[in-house]
């Protein structure tokens, strides 16, 4: 199975700050990488597919980049409503696997 | 509007069985693969199983292979997960999710709100 790692596991930032999360795959997954946001008590929501494709309706402050084994997720200006846990997920190989998550909160 | 509504969760003893359902609406159900993803309390996301739009292709995580069976009834727009030989480690919220292709591809665009399965004596 492809192992996904994320760092940091949690972070605290101020409103307006730039936030960056990294995700690493245990082998080359090309750009077969998604990012999901999960707010407390809610289902996950797809934000970015194919490593960098912003889903319809998702604010442009969210972005993703990378290919191969190393990926980055960025919130350009953190907003209070962005408090959530963010997961990367590879879909290059079955079983689909998720990173352990990065919990983001407001300082 | 896409809607996915899970049901069937509850408390079951170790070794027991449970069948989850996911009622879908707002899209052509048979045109899309579906998956089940679970989340143990306070833990991360864990893909469990997927099924193609026709139902002819099914995929499983090793942890549930031989114990869980995914199926769908396209005439009823409903996805199922039959769970047998349940273990304590199967305790989780189970989400159904809509894929973006007719084959099991892994980009899960829409998710239900989940149903809690608790395996305990």
């Amino acid at each position: 199975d492809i192992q996904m790692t994320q760092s940091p596991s949690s972070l605290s930032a101020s409103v307006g700050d730039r936030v960056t999360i990294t995700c690493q795959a245990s082998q080359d997954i090309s750009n077969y990488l998604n990012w999901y946001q999960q707010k407390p008590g809610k289902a996950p929501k797809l934000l970015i597919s194919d490593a960098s494709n912003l889903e319809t309706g998702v604010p442009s402050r969210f972005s993703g980049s990378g290919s191969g084994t190393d990926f980055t997720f960025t919130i350009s200006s953190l907003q209070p409503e962005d408090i959530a846990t963010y997961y990367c997920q590879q879909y290059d190989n079955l079983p689909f696997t998720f990173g352990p998550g990065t919990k983001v909160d407001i300082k | 509007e896409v809607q996915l509504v899970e049901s069937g969760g509850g408390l079951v003893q170790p070794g027991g069985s449970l069948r989850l359902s996911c009622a879908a609406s707002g899209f052509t159900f048979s045109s899309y693969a579906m998956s089940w993803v679970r989340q143990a309390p306070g833990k991360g996301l864990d893909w469990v199983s997927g099924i193609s739009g026709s139902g002819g292709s099914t995929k499983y995580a090793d942890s549930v292979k031989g114990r869980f069976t995914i199926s769908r009834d396209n005439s009823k727009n409903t996805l199922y997960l039959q769970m047998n030989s349940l273990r304590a480690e199967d305790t989780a919220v189970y989400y159904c999710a809509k894929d973006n292709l007719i084959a099991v591809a892994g980009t899960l665009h829409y998710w239900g709100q989940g149903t809690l399965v608790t395996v305990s004596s």
Side-chain angles (χ1 to χ4, degrees), chain A residues 3-82:
Chain A
Q3 308 302 316
M4 306 300 293
T5 57
Q6 284 181 239
S7 62
S9 57
S10 65
L11 66 89
S12 187
S14 300
V15 172
D17 281 356
R18 183 181 185 87
V19 167
T20 299
I21 299 168
T22 62
C23 174
Q24 189 168 56
S26 61
Q27 65 187 66
D28 188 339
I29 59 169
S30 185
N31 67 330
Y32 298 122
L33 191 283
N34 296 322
W35 288 96
Y36 297 87
Q37 174 193 64
Q38 186 178 33
K39 296 184 178 180
K42 300 294 187 182
K45 174 186 176 183
L46 178 66
L47 297 183
I48 290 172
S49 61
D50 300 335
S52 60
N53 180 50
L54 195 68
E55 291 299 305
T56 302
V58 175
S60 59
R61 64 181 180 272
F62 296 100
S63 65
S65 65
S67 66
T69 61
D70 296 301
F71 302 86
T72 300
F73 173 82
T74 300
I75 307 173
S76 61
S77 177
L78 186 67
Q79 300 301 304
E81 59 266 33
D82 300 336

Side-chain angles (χ1 to χ4, degrees), chain A residues 1 34 36 38 41-44 46 49 55 87 89 91 94-96 98, chain B residues 37 39 43-47 59 95 104-109 111-113:
Chain A
D1 296 3
N34 296 322
Y36 297 87
Q38 186 178 33
K42 300 294 187 182
L46 178 66
S49 61
E55 291 299 305
Y87 295 93
Q89 175 234 341
Y91 57 100
L94 284 161
F96 307 130
F98 293 83
Chain B
V37 178
Q39 186 170 35
K43 301 298 184 182
L45 301 169
D46 182 29
W47 178 84
K59 311 291 184 185
Y95 296 100
V104 179
T107 293
L108 305 175
H109 279 259
W111 299 59
Q113 285 307 299

